[in-house]
Coordinates of all heavy atoms in Angstrom, one line a residue:
Chain O
C487 N 24.2 -25.9 1.3 CA 23.4 -26.3 0.1 C 22.8 -27.7 0.4 O 23.5 -28.6 0.9 CB 24.3 -26.4 -1.1 SG 23.4 -26.5 -2.6
P488 N 21.5 -27.8 0.2 CA 20.9 -29.2 0.5 C 21.5 -30.2 -0.5 O 21.7 -29.8 -1.7 CB 19.4 -28.9 0.1 CG 19.2 -27.5 0.1 CD 20.5 -26.8 -0.2
P489 N 21.8 -31.4 0.0 CA 22.5 -32.3 -0.9 C 21.9 -32.6 -2.2 O 22.6 -32.7 -3.2 CB 22.4 -33.6 0.0 CG 22.4 -33.1 1.4 CD 21.6 -31.8 1.4
R490 N 20.6 -32.5 -2.4 CA 20.0 -32.8 -3.7 C 20.4 -31.8 -4.7 O 20.3 -32.1 -5.9 CB 18.5 -32.9 -3.5 CG 17.9 -34.2 -3.1 CD 16.5 -34.4 -3.6 NE 16.1 -35.8 -3.3 CZ 15.2 -36.1 -2.4 NH1 14.6 -35.1 -1.7 NH2 14.9 -37.3 -2.1
V491 N 20.7 -30.6 -4.3 CA 21.0 -29.6 -5.4 C 22.5 -29.1 -5.2 O 22.8 -28.1 -5.7 CB 20.1 -28.4 -5.4 CG1 18.7 -28.8 -5.9 CG2 19.9 -27.8 -4.0
A492 N 23.3 -29.9 -4.4 CA 24.7 -29.5 -4.2 C 25.5 -30.0 -5.4 O 25.6 -31.2 -5.6 CB 25.2 -30.0 -2.9
P493 N 26.2 -29.2 -6.1 CA 27.1 -29.6 -7.1 C 28.2 -30.6 -6.6 O 28.5 -31.6 -7.3 CB 27.8 -28.3 -7.6 CG 26.8 -27.2 -7.3 CD 26.2 -27.7 -6.0
I494 N 28.7 -30.3 -5.5 CA 29.7 -31.2 -4.8 C 29.1 -31.6 -3.5 O 29.0 -30.8 -2.6 CB 31.0 -30.6 -4.7 CG1 31.6 -30.4 -6.1 CG2 32.0 -31.5 -3.9 CD1 33.0 -29.7 -6.1
Q495 N 28.8 -32.9 -3.4 CA 28.2 -33.3 -2.1 C 29.3 -33.7 -1.1 O 29.1 -33.5 0.1 CB 27.2 -34.5 -2.4 CG 26.0 -34.1 -3.2 CD 25.3 -35.3 -3.7 OE1 25.9 -36.3 -4.2 NE2 24.0 -35.2 -3.7
V496 N 30.3 -34.3 -1.6 CA 31.4 -34.8 -0.7 C 32.7 -34.3 -1.3 O 33.0 -34.5 -2.5 CB 31.4 -36.3 -0.7 CG1 32.5 -36.8 0.3 CG2 30.1 -36.9 -0.2
V497 N 33.5 -33.7 -0.5 CA 34.9 -33.3 -0.9 C 35.8 -34.1 0.0 O 35.7 -34.1 1.2 CB 35.1 -31.8 -0.9 CG1 35.1 -31.2 0.5 CG2 36.4 -31.5 -1.5
I498 N 36.8 -34.7 -0.6 CA 37.8 -35.5 0.1 C 39.1 -34.8 0.1 O 39.6 -34.4 -1.0 CB 37.9 -36.9 -0.5 CG1 36.6 -37.7 -0.5 CG2 38.9 -37.7 0.3 CD1 36.6 -39.0 -1.2
L499 N 39.7 -34.5 1.2 CA 41.0 -33.8 1.3 C 42.0 -34.8 1.8 O 42.2 -35.0 3.0 CB 40.8 -32.6 2.3 CG 39.7 -31.6 2.0 CD1 39.8 -30.5 3.0 CD2 39.7 -31.1 0.6
P500 N 42.8 -35.3 0.9 CA 43.9 -36.2 1.3 C 45.1 -35.3 1.7 O 45.3 -34.2 1.1 CB 44.3 -37.0 0.0 CG 43.8 -36.1 -1.1 CD 42.7 -35.3 -0.6
M501 N 45.8 -35.6 2.8 CA 46.8 -34.7 3.2 C 48.1 -35.5 3.4 O 48.1 -36.8 3.6 CB 46.4 -34.1 4.6 CG 45.3 -33.2 4.5 SD 44.7 -32.6 6.0 CE 43.7 -34.0 6.6
G502 N 49.2 -34.8 3.3 CA 50.5 -35.5 3.5 C 51.7 -34.6 3.3 O 51.6 -33.7 2.5
R503 N 52.7 -34.8 4.1 CA 53.8 -33.8 4.1 C 54.8 -34.1 2.9 O 55.4 -33.3 2.3 CB 54.7 -34.0 5.4 CG 54.0 -33.3 6.6 CD 54.9 -33.4 7.8 NE 54.3 -32.9 8.9 CZ 53.3 -33.5 9.6 NH1 53.0 -34.8 9.2 NH2 52.7 -33.0 10.6
D504 N 54.9 -35.4 2.7 CA 55.9 -35.8 1.6 C 55.3 -36.6 0.6 O 54.1 -37.1 0.7 CB 57.0 -36.6 2.3 CG 56.5 -37.7 3.2 OD1 56.2 -38.8 2.6 OD2 56.2 -37.5 4.4
E505 N 56.0 -36.8 -0.5 CA 55.6 -37.6 -1.7 C 55.0 -39.0 -1.2 O 53.9 -39.4 -1.7 CB 56.7 -37.8 -2.6 CG 57.1 -36.6 -3.4 CD 56.1 -36.2 -4.5 OE1 55.3 -37.1 -4.9 OE2 56.1 -35.0 -4.9
E506 N 55.7 -39.6 -0.4 CA 55.4 -41.0 0.0 C 54.1 -41.0 0.7 O 53.2 -41.9 0.4 CB 56.5 -41.6 0.8 CG 56.5 -43.1 1.1 CD 55.6 -43.4 2.3 OE1 55.5 -42.6 3.2 OE2 55.0 -44.5 2.3
T507 N 53.9 -40.1 1.7 CA 52.6 -40.0 2.4 C 51.5 -39.7 1.5 O 50.4 -40.3 1.6 CB 52.7 -39.0 3.5 OG1 53.9 -39.2 4.2 CG2 51.5 -39.1 4.5
R508 N 51.7 -38.7 0.6 CA 50.7 -38.3 -0.3 C 50.3 -39.4 -1.2 O 49.1 -39.6 -1.5 CB 51.1 -37.1 -1.1 CG 51.0 -35.8 -0.4 CD 51.0 -34.6 -1.3 NE 52.3 -34.4 -2.0 CZ 53.3 -33.7 -1.5 NH1 53.1 -33.0 -0.4 NH2 54.4 -33.5 -2.2
A509 N 51.2 -40.2 -1.6 CA 50.9 -41.4 -2.5 C 49.9 -42.2 -1.8 O 48.9 -42.7 -2.4 CB 52.1 -42.2 -2.9
R510 N 50.1 -42.4 -0.5 CA 49.2 -43.3 0.3 C 47.8 -42.7 0.5 O 46.8 -43.3 0.3 CB 49.8 -43.7 1.6 CG 50.9 -44.7 1.4 CD 51.4 -45.3 2.8 NE 52.0 -44.2 3.6 CZ 51.6 -44.0 4.9 NH1 50.7 -44.8 5.5 NH2 52.2 -43.0 5.6
T511 N 47.8 -41.4 0.9 CA 46.5 -40.7 1.2 C 45.7 -40.5 -0.1 O 44.5 -40.6 -0.1 CB 46.7 -39.4 2.0 OG1 47.5 -38.5 1.2 CG2 47.3 -39.6 3.4
Y512 N 46.4 -40.1 -1.2 CA 45.7 -40.0 -2.4 C 45.1 -41.3 -2.9 O 44.0 -41.3 -3.4 CB 46.7 -39.5 -3.5 CG 47.1 -38.0 -3.4 CD1 46.9 -37.3 -2.3 CD2 47.6 -37.3 -4.5 CE1 47.2 -35.9 -2.2 CE2 47.9 -36.0 -4.5 CZ 47.8 -35.3 -3.3 OH 48.1 -34.0 -3.2
G513 N 45.9 -42.3 -2.7 CA 45.3 -43.7 -3.1 C 44.0 -44.0 -2.3 O 43.0 -44.4 -2.9
A514 N 44.1 -43.7 -1.0 CA 42.9 -44.0 -0.1 C 41.8 -43.1 -0.5 O 40.6 -43.5 -0.5 CB 43.3 -43.8 1.3
A515 N 42.1 -41.8 -0.9 CA 41.0 -40.9 -1.2 C 40.4 -41.3 -2.5 O 39.1 -41.3 -2.7 CB 41.6 -39.5 -1.4
D516 N 41.2 -41.7 -3.5 CA 40.6 -42.2 -4.8 C 39.8 -43.4 -4.6 O 38.7 -43.5 -5.2 CB 41.7 -42.5 -5.8 CG 42.4 -41.2 -6.3 OD1 41.7 -40.1 -6.3 OD2 43.6 -41.2 -6.7
Q517 N 40.2 -44.3 -3.7 CA 39.5 -45.5 -3.4 C 38.1 -45.2 -2.9 O 37.1 -45.7 -3.3 CB 40.3 -46.3 -2.4 CG 39.5 -47.4 -1.7 CD 39.5 -48.7 -2.5 OE1 40.5 -49.0 -3.1 NE2 38.4 -49.4 -2.4
L518 N 38.1 -44.3 -1.9 CA 36.8 -43.9 -1.2 C 35.9 -43.2 -2.3 O 34.7 -43.4 -2.3 CB 37.1 -43.0 0.0 CG 35.9 -42.5 0.7 CD1 35.0 -43.6 1.2 CD2 36.3 -41.6 1.9
A519 N 36.6 -42.3 -3.1 CA 35.8 -41.6 -4.1 C 35.1 -42.6 -5.0 O 33.9 -42.4 -5.4 CB 36.7 -40.6 -4.9
S520 N 35.8 -43.6 -5.5 CA 35.2 -44.5 -6.4 C 34.1 -45.4 -5.8 O 33.1 -45.7 -6.4 CB 36.2 -45.4 -7.1 OG 37.0 -46.1 -6.2
E521 N 34.3 -45.7 -4.5 CA 33.2 -46.3 -3.7 C 32.0 -45.5 -3.7 O 30.8 -45.9 -3.9 CB 33.6 -46.6 -2.3 CG 34.4 -47.9 -2.1 CD 34.8 -48.0 -0.6 OE1 33.9 -47.8 0.3 OE2 36.0 -48.3 -0.3
L522 N 32.2 -44.2 -3.4 CA 31.0 -43.3 -3.3 C 30.3 -43.1 -4.7 O 29.1 -43.0 -4.8 CB 31.5 -41.9 -2.8 CG 31.8 -41.9 -1.3 CD1 32.6 -40.6 -0.9 CD2 30.6 -42.1 -0.4
K523 N 31.2 -43.0 -5.7 CA 30.6 -42.8 -7.0 C 29.7 -43.9 -7.5 O 28.9 -43.8 -8.4 CB 31.7 -42.5 -8.0 CG 32.3 -41.1 -8.0 CD 33.4 -40.9 -8.9 CE 34.0 -39.5 -8.8 NZ 35.3 -39.4 -9.4
A524 N 30.0 -45.1 -6.9 CA 29.2 -46.3 -7.2 C 27.9 -46.3 -6.5 O 27.0 -47.1 -6.8 CB 30.0 -47.5 -6.9
I525 N 27.7 -45.4 -5.5 CA 26.4 -45.5 -4.8 C 25.3 -44.7 -5.5 O 25.5 -43.5 -5.8 CB 26.6 -44.9 -3.3 CG1 27.6 -45.8 -2.6 CG2 25.3 -44.8 -2.6 CD1 27.9 -45.3 -1.2
A526 N 24.2 -45.3 -5.7 CA 23.1 -44.6 -6.3 C 22.4 -43.8 -5.2 O 21.8 -44.4 -4.3 CB 22.1 -45.6 -6.9
W527 N 22.6 -42.5 -5.2 CA 22.0 -41.7 -4.2 C 21.0 -40.7 -4.8 O 21.4 -40.0 -5.7 CB 23.1 -40.9 -3.5 CG 22.6 -40.1 -2.3 CD1 22.5 -40.6 -1.0 CD2 22.0 -38.8 -2.3 NE1 21.9 -39.6 -0.2 CE2 21.6 -38.5 -1.0 CE3 21.8 -37.8 -3.3 CZ2 21.0 -37.3 -0.6 CZ3 21.2 -36.6 -2.9 CH2 20.8 -36.4 -1.6
S528 N 19.8 -40.7 -4.4 CA 18.9 -39.8 -5.0 C 18.2 -39.0 -3.8 O 17.2 -38.3 -4.1 CB 17.8 -40.5 -5.8 OG 17.2 -41.5 -5.1
G529 N 18.7 -39.2 -2.6 CA 18.1 -38.4 -1.5 C 17.2 -39.3 -0.7 O 16.8 -40.4 -1.1
P530 N 16.8 -38.8 0.5 CA 15.9 -39.5 1.4 C 14.5 -39.7 0.8 O 14.1 -38.9 0.0 CB 15.9 -38.6 2.6 CG 16.2 -37.3 2.1 CD 17.1 -37.4 1.0
D531 N 13.9 -40.7 1.3 CA 12.5 -40.9 0.9 C 11.6 -40.1 1.9 O 11.6 -40.3 3.1 CB 12.1 -42.4 1.1 CG 10.6 -42.6 0.7 OD1 10.0 -41.7 0.1 OD2 10.1 -43.7 1.0
L532 N 11.0 -39.1 1.4 CA 10.1 -38.2 2.2 C 8.7 -38.4 1.9 O 7.8 -37.6 2.2 CB 10.5 -36.7 1.9 CG 12.0 -36.4 2.2 CD1 12.3 -35.0 1.7 CD2 12.4 -36.6 3.6
S533 N 8.4 -39.6 1.4 CA 7.0 -39.9 1.0 C 6.0 -39.8 2.1 O 4.8 -39.6 1.9 CB 6.9 -41.2 0.3 OG 7.4 -42.2 1.1
E534 N 6.5 -40.0 3.4 CA 5.6 -40.0 4.5 C 5.0 -38.6 4.7 O 4.0 -38.4 5.5 CB 6.3 -40.5 5.8 CG 7.3 -39.6 6.4 CD 8.6 -39.7 5.7 OE1 8.8 -40.4 4.7 OE2 9.6 -39.0 6.3
L535 N 5.5 -37.6 4.0 CA 5.0 -36.3 4.2 C 3.7 -36.1 3.5 O 3.0 -35.1 3.7 CB 6.0 -35.3 3.7 CG 7.3 -35.2 4.5 CD1 8.3 -34.2 3.8 CD2 7.0 -34.7 5.9
E536 N 3.3 -37.1 2.7 CA 2.0 -37.1 2.1 C 1.6 -35.9 1.3 O 0.9 -35.0 1.8 CB 0.9 -37.4 3.1 CG 0.9 -38.8 3.6 CD -0.3 -39.1 4.5 OE1 -1.3 -38.4 4.4 OE2 -0.3 -40.1 5.2
Y537 N 2.1 -35.8 0.1 CA 1.7 -34.6 -0.7 C 0.4 -34.9 -1.4 O 0.1 -36.0 -1.8 CB 2.8 -34.3 -1.7 CG 4.0 -33.7 -0.9 CD1 5.0 -34.5 -0.5 CD2 4.0 -32.4 -0.5 CE1 6.1 -34.0 0.2 CE2 5.0 -31.9 0.2 CZ 6.1 -32.7 0.6 OH 7.1 -32.2 1.3
D538 N -0.3 -33.8 -1.7 CA -1.5 -33.9 -2.4 C -1.3 -33.9 -3.9 O -1.8 -33.0 -4.6 CB -2.4 -32.8 -1.9 CG -3.8 -32.9 -2.6 OD1 -4.2 -34.0 -2.9 OD2 -4.5 -31.8 -2.7
V539 N -0.5 -34.8 -4.3 CA -0.2 -34.9 -5.8 C -0.6 -36.3 -6.3 O -0.2 -37.3 -5.7 CB 1.3 -34.7 -6.0 CG1 1.6 -34.7 -7.5 CG2 1.7 -33.4 -5.4
P540 N -1.5 -36.3 -7.2 CA -2.1 -37.6 -7.6 C -1.0 -38.5 -8.2 O -0.9 -39.7 -8.0 CB -3.1 -37.3 -8.7 CG -2.8 -35.9 -9.1 CD -2.1 -35.2 -8.0
E541 N -0.1 -37.9 -9.0 CA 0.9 -38.8 -9.7 C 2.1 -39.1 -8.7 O 2.5 -38.2 -8.0 CB 1.5 -38.1 -10.9 CG 0.5 -37.9 -12.0 CD -0.5 -36.8 -11.8 OE1 -0.3 -36.0 -10.8 OE2 -1.5 -36.7 -12.5
L542 N 2.6 -40.3 -8.9 CA 3.8 -40.6 -8.1 C 5.0 -39.9 -8.7 O 5.2 -39.9 -9.9 CB 4.0 -42.2 -8.2 CG 5.3 -42.7 -7.5 CD1 5.1 -42.5 -6.0 CD2 5.5 -44.1 -7.9
M543 N 5.7 -39.2 -7.8 CA 6.9 -38.5 -8.3 C 8.0 -38.9 -7.5 O 8.1 -38.6 -6.3 CB 6.6 -37.0 -8.2 CG 5.5 -36.5 -9.1 SD 5.4 -34.8 -9.2 CE 4.9 -34.5 -7.5
H544 N 9.0 -39.6 -8.1 CA 10.1 -40.1 -7.3 C 11.3 -39.3 -7.8 O 11.4 -39.0 -9.0 CB 10.4 -41.6 -7.5 CG 10.2 -42.1 -8.9 ND1 9.0 -42.5 -9.3 CD2 11.0 -42.1 -9.9 CE1 9.1 -42.9 -10.6 NE2 10.3 -42.7 -11.0
P545 N 12.2 -39.0 -6.9 CA 13.4 -38.2 -7.3 C 14.3 -39.0 -8.3 O 14.2 -40.2 -8.4 CB 14.2 -38.1 -6.0 CG 13.2 -38.4 -4.9 CD 12.2 -39.4 -5.5
L546 N 15.1 -38.3 -9.0 CA 16.0 -38.9 -10.0 C 17.0 -39.9 -9.3 O 17.4 -39.7 -8.2 CB 17.0 -37.8 -10.5 CG 16.4 -36.8 -11.5 CD1 17.5 -35.9 -11.8 CD2 15.9 -37.5 -12.7
G547 N 17.3 -41.0 -10.0 CA 18.4 -41.8 -9.6 C 19.6 -41.1 -10.0 O 19.7 -40.5 -11.0
S548 N 20.6 -41.2 -9.1 CA 21.9 -40.5 -9.5 C 23.0 -41.1 -8.6 O 22.8 -42.1 -7.9 CB 21.8 -39.0 -9.2 OG 21.6 -38.8 -7.8
R549 N 24.1 -40.5 -8.8 CA 25.3 -41.0 -8.0 C 25.8 -39.9 -7.1 O 25.5 -38.7 -7.4 CB 26.4 -41.4 -9.0 CG 26.0 -42.4 -10.1 CD 26.0 -43.7 -9.5 NE 25.1 -44.6 -10.3 CZ 25.0 -45.9 -10.1 NH1 25.8 -46.5 -9.2 NH2 24.2 -46.6 -10.9
I550 N 26.5 -40.3 -6.0 CA 27.0 -39.3 -5.1 C 28.1 -38.5 -5.9 O 28.9 -39.0 -6.6 CB 27.6 -40.0 -3.9 CG1 26.5 -40.6 -3.0 CG2 28.4 -38.9 -3.1 CD1 26.9 -41.3 -1.8
R551 N 27.9 -37.2 -5.7 CA 28.8 -36.2 -6.4 C 30.0 -35.9 -5.5 O 29.9 -35.2 -4.5 CB 28.1 -35.0 -6.8 CG 27.0 -35.2 -7.9 CD 26.3 -33.9 -8.3 NE 25.4 -33.5 -7.2 CZ 24.1 -33.9 -7.1 NH1 23.6 -34.8 -7.9 NH2 23.3 -33.4 -6.2
V552 N 31.2 -36.5 -5.9 CA 32.3 -36.4 -5.0 C 33.5 -35.9 -5.7 O 33.7 -36.1 -6.9 CB 32.6 -37.8 -4.4 CG1 32.8 -38.9 -5.5 CG2 33.9 -37.8 -3.5
H553 N 34.3 -35.1 -5.0 CA 35.5 -34.5 -5.6 C 36.7 -34.7 -4.6 O 36.5 -34.5 -3.4 CB 35.2 -33.0 -5.7 CG 36.5 -32.2 -6.2 ND1 37.0 -32.3 -7.4 CD2 37.3 -31.3 -5.5 CE1 38.0 -31.5 -7.5 NE2 38.2 -30.9 -6.4
V554 N 37.8 -35.1 -5.2 CA 39.0 -35.2 -4.4 C 39.9 -34.0 -4.7 O 40.2 -33.7 -5.8 CB 39.8 -36.5 -4.8 CG1 41.0 -36.6 -3.9 CG2 38.9 -37.7 -4.6
D555 N 40.1 -33.2 -3.6 CA 40.9 -32.0 -3.7 C 42.4 -32.3 -3.6 O 42.9 -32.4 -2.5 CB 40.4 -31.0 -2.7 CG 41.1 -29.6 -2.9 OD1 42.0 -29.5 -3.7 OD2 40.6 -28.7 -2.2
K556 N 43.1 -32.3 -4.7 CA 44.5 -32.7 -4.6 C 45.4 -31.4 -4.9 O 46.6 -31.6 -5.2 CB 44.9 -33.7 -5.7 CG 44.2 -35.1 -5.4 CD 44.6 -36.1 -6.5 CE 43.9 -37.4 -6.2 NZ 44.1 -38.4 -7.3
R557 N 44.9 -30.3 -4.7 CA 45.7 -29.1 -4.9 C 46.8 -29.1 -3.8 O 46.5 -29.2 -2.6 CB 44.9 -27.8 -4.7 CG 43.9 -27.5 -5.8 CD 43.0 -26.3 -5.5 NE 42.1 -26.5 -4.4 CZ 41.3 -25.6 -3.9 NH1 41.3 -24.4 -4.3 NH2 40.5 -25.9 -2.9
E558 N 48.0 -29.0 -4.3 CA 49.2 -29.1 -3.3 C 49.6 -27.8 -2.8 O 50.3 -27.7 -1.8 CB 50.3 -29.9 -4.0 CG 49.9 -31.4 -4.1 CD 51.1 -32.2 -4.6 OE1 52.2 -31.8 -4.7 OE2 50.8 -33.4 -4.9
K559 N 49.3 -26.8 -3.5 CA 49.7 -25.4 -3.1 C 48.9 -24.9 -1.9 O 49.4 -24.1 -1.2 CB 49.5 -24.5 -4.3 CG 50.3 -23.2 -4.2 CD 50.2 -22.3 -5.3 CE 50.8 -21.0 -5.0 NZ 50.4 -20.4 -3.8
E560 N 47.7 -25.4 -1.8 CA 46.8 -24.8 -0.7 C 47.0 -25.7 0.5 O 47.1 -26.9 0.5 CB 45.3 -24.9 -1.1 CG 45.1 -24.5 -2.6 CD 45.4 -23.1 -2.9 OE1 45.7 -22.3 -2.0 OE2 45.4 -22.7 -4.1
S561 N 47.0 -25.0 1.7 CA 47.1 -25.7 2.9 C 45.8 -26.4 3.3 O 44.7 -25.9 2.8 CB 47.5 -24.8 4.0 OG 46.5 -23.9 4.3
P562 N 45.8 -27.4 4.1 CA 44.5 -28.0 4.6 C 43.5 -26.9 5.2 O 42.4 -26.9 4.8 CB 44.9 -29.0 5.6 CG 46.3 -29.3 5.3 CD 46.9 -28.1 4.7
G563 N 44.1 -26.0 6.0 CA 43.2 -25.0 6.6 C 42.5 -24.1 5.5 O 41.4 -23.8 5.7
F564 N 43.3 -23.8 4.5 CA 42.7 -23.0 3.4 C 41.6 -23.8 2.8 O 40.5 -23.3 2.5 CB 43.7 -22.6 2.4 CG 43.2 -21.9 1.2 CD1 43.1 -20.5 1.2 CD2 42.7 -22.5 0.1 CE1 42.6 -19.8 0.2 CE2 42.2 -21.8 -1.0 CZ 42.1 -20.4 -0.9
K565 N 41.8 -25.1 2.5 CA 40.8 -25.9 1.9 C 39.5 -26.1 2.7 O 38.4 -26.1 2.2 CB 41.4 -27.3 1.5 CG 42.4 -27.2 0.4 CD 42.9 -28.7 0.2 CE 44.0 -28.6 -0.9 NZ 44.5 -30.0 -1.2
F566 N 39.7 -26.2 4.0 CA 38.5 -26.3 4.9 C 37.6 -25.1 4.7 O 36.4 -25.2 4.4 CB 38.9 -26.3 6.4 CG 39.7 -27.5 6.8 CD1 40.4 -27.6 8.0 CD2 39.8 -28.6 5.9 CE1 41.1 -28.7 8.4 CE2 40.5 -29.8 6.3 CZ 41.2 -29.8 7.6
N567 N 38.2 -23.9 4.7 CA 37.4 -22.7 4.6 C 36.9 -22.5 3.2 O 35.7 -22.1 3.0 CB 38.3 -21.5 4.9 CG 38.6 -21.4 6.4 OD1 37.7 -21.0 7.2 ND2 39.8 -21.7 6.8
D568 N 37.7 -22.9 2.2 CA 37.3 -22.8 0.8 C 36.0 -23.6 0.5 O 35.1 -23.2 -0.1 CB 38.4 -23.2 -0.1 CG 38.2 -22.8 -1.5 OD1 37.7 -21.7 -1.8 OD2 38.5 -23.7 -2.4
W569 N 36.0 -24.9 1.0 CA 34.9 -25.7 0.7 C 33.7 -25.4 1.6 O 32.5 -25.7 1.2 CB 35.3 -27.2 0.9 CG 36.2 -27.6 -0.3 CD1 37.5 -27.8 -0.2 CD2 35.8 -27.7 -1.6 NE1 38.0 -28.1 -1.5 CE2 37.0 -28.0 -2.4 CE3 34.6 -27.6 -2.3 CZ2 37.0 -28.2 -3.8 CZ3 34.6 -27.7 -3.7 CH2 35.8 -28.1 -4.4

Side-chain angles (χ1 to χ4, degrees):
Chain O
C487 194
R490 278 210 172 104
V491 292
I494 294 179
Q495 294 168 321
V496 181
V497 65
I498 304 176
L499 306 183
M501 293 174 281
R503 283 183 186 78
D504 51 84
E505 286 288 337
E506 190 273 331
T507 312
R508 279 201 292 270
R510 287 190 296 130
T511 57
Y512 283 19
D516 288 336
Q517 161 88 35
L518 179 58
S520 57
E521 276 178 43
L522 288 168
K523 283 177 183 166
I525 295 177
W527 187 91
S528 55
D531 179 12
L532 302 173
S533 55
E534 73 277 8
L535 292 176
E536 283 189 22
Y537 290 94
D538 183 23
V539 181
E541 291 77 9
L542 176 69
M543 297 186 295
H544 44 267
L546 287 179
S548 64
R549 304 282 155 171
I550 291 179
R551 293 181 285 275
V552 55
H553 173 72
V554 181
D555 185 353
K556 292 178 179 172
R557 289 177 292 177
E558 289 186 8
K559 196 178 172 308
E560 320 295 352
S561 70
F564 178 89
K565 290 180 181 180
F566 294 169
N567 288 287
D568 192 43
W569 289 108

